[in-house]
Amino acid sequence: MSNTWFTSDLHIGHQNILSYCPWNRPFDAIEEMNESLVEMWNKDVKEGDLVYFLGDFAMKFTFVEEFLPRLNGDKVLVSGNHDKWHPIHKGHLQTRQKVLKLDERIVGLYDGLPKAIGGMKFLLNHFPWKEEEAAEHNAYVSRFTEWKPSRAKHPKTVLLFGHRHSRMESRIINHSIEVTYDAWGRMVPLEEILEIAKEII
């Protein structure tokens, strides 16, 4: 029986993330973090499982080439601002084609994805609700506004998102669930998402 998982914001190869988010990244070296993230993913995800990855895989495309094929499971990728295949980057369409050729287990690549799961409406996006900009992880709250979904346009919908790098206690906010690695420290199973969604919708 296959399982479905969610995560985002691995930031493989991002040296500064060790100091930005030390609570779930207690590593002395970036190489140690990279390998720990692969181990964390592959411990839970088996071949045939499906993973929704909601953006910001790595800081350089060379890390994408090296690490993405090493990760188990079929993958649906939702673009984040650090992903070179997001439309904010020059040449993103060419990079998108390169990504799709890296791993035959990539079964979809989107900038945002509405999804009905378990009788509920979800929206999968890298960015949080536009109405929640003040809760972002830095002072540049006006960045990427055009890519942030609006709650007004998605009524009775639970947003699954990344980007914010919250601590555990801040990962649920106003009909949305943050699935970043930093907010969980692990892969998030669909069953847990559904249980939380029932409480907040």
Side-chain angles (χ1 to χ4, degrees):
M1 180 178 174
S2 61
N3 295 303
T4 300
W5 305 87
F6 297 84
T7 193
S8 77
D9 294 83
L10 296 187
H11 281 243
I12 288 175
H14 185 187
Q15 181 68 43
N16 289 339
I17 201 74
L18 297 180
S19 56
Y20 292 159
C21 306
W23 53 91
N24 272 327
R25 300 180 191 255
F27 306 107
D28 295 322
I30 195 64
E31 295 80 9
E32 181 186 1
M33 183 196 80
N34 294 343
E35 292 301 325
S36 178
L37 291 172
V38 172
E39 182 180 350
M40 177 272 304
W41 180 303
N42 287 340
K43 176 176 63 70
D44 285 334
V45 180
K46 308 307 177 190
E47 290 304 330
D49 286 358
L50 178 63
V51 179
Y52 288 95
F53 185 84
L54 304 191
D56 284 7
F57 185 82
M59 297 305 287
K60 295 181 179 179
F61 194 73
T62 53
F63 289 119
V64 180
E65 293 175 308
E66 178 182 354
F67 285 93
L68 187 61
R70 293 177 57 190
L71 300 176
N72 292 343
D74 296 333
K75 306 168 187 78
V76 174
L77 304 180
V78 174
S79 306
N81 53 290
H82 287 298
D83 298 318
K84 301 305 181 186
W85 52 92
H86 191 283
I88 63 174
H89 296 287
K90 185 177 180 180
H92 72 276
L93 292 176
Q94 294 89 334
T95 307
R96 190 168 290 222
Q97 293 307 310
K98 290 181 182 179
V99 173
L100 292 172
K101 293 176 182 177
L102 280 179
D103 188 346
E104 63 183 9
R105 297 166 300 173
I106 297 174
V107 295
L109 198 162
Y110 305 91
D111 299 320
L113 178 64
K115 191 82 178 170
I117 311 174
M120 288 182 284
K121 292 196 300 183
F122 290 88
L123 177 64
L124 281 56
N125 198 294
H126 177 66
F127 300 103
W129 292 126
K130 188 177 299 186
E131 292 84 353
E132 302 299 335
E133 282 190 322
E136 283 210 29
H137 63 286
N138 56 44
Y140 303 103
V141 296
S142 61
R143 294 192 309 171
F144 317 118
T145 295
E146 68 271 27
W147 297 103
K148 293 174 182 174
S150 171
R151 285 183 62 194
K153 294 182 179 179
H154 298 279
K156 298 181 180 178
T157 297
V158 175
L159 174 67
L160 304 181
F161 71 99
H163 189 63
R164 277 179 47 209
H165 299 270
S166 298
R167 294 178 183 268
M168 182 177 69
E169 60 270 18
S170 303
R171 64 194 184 195
I172 300 169
I173 180 171
N174 289 343
H175 296 190
S176 63
I177 306 169
E178 180 182 338
V179 299
T180 61
Y181 168 74
D182 297 292
W184 293 82
R186 58 181 171 86
M187 305 296 287
V188 188
L190 172 61
E191 292 77 13
E192 200 162 349
I193 291 290
L194 291 175
E195 286 300 315
I196 296 171
K198 290 173 186 175
E199 298 295 324
I200 66 175
I201 193 61

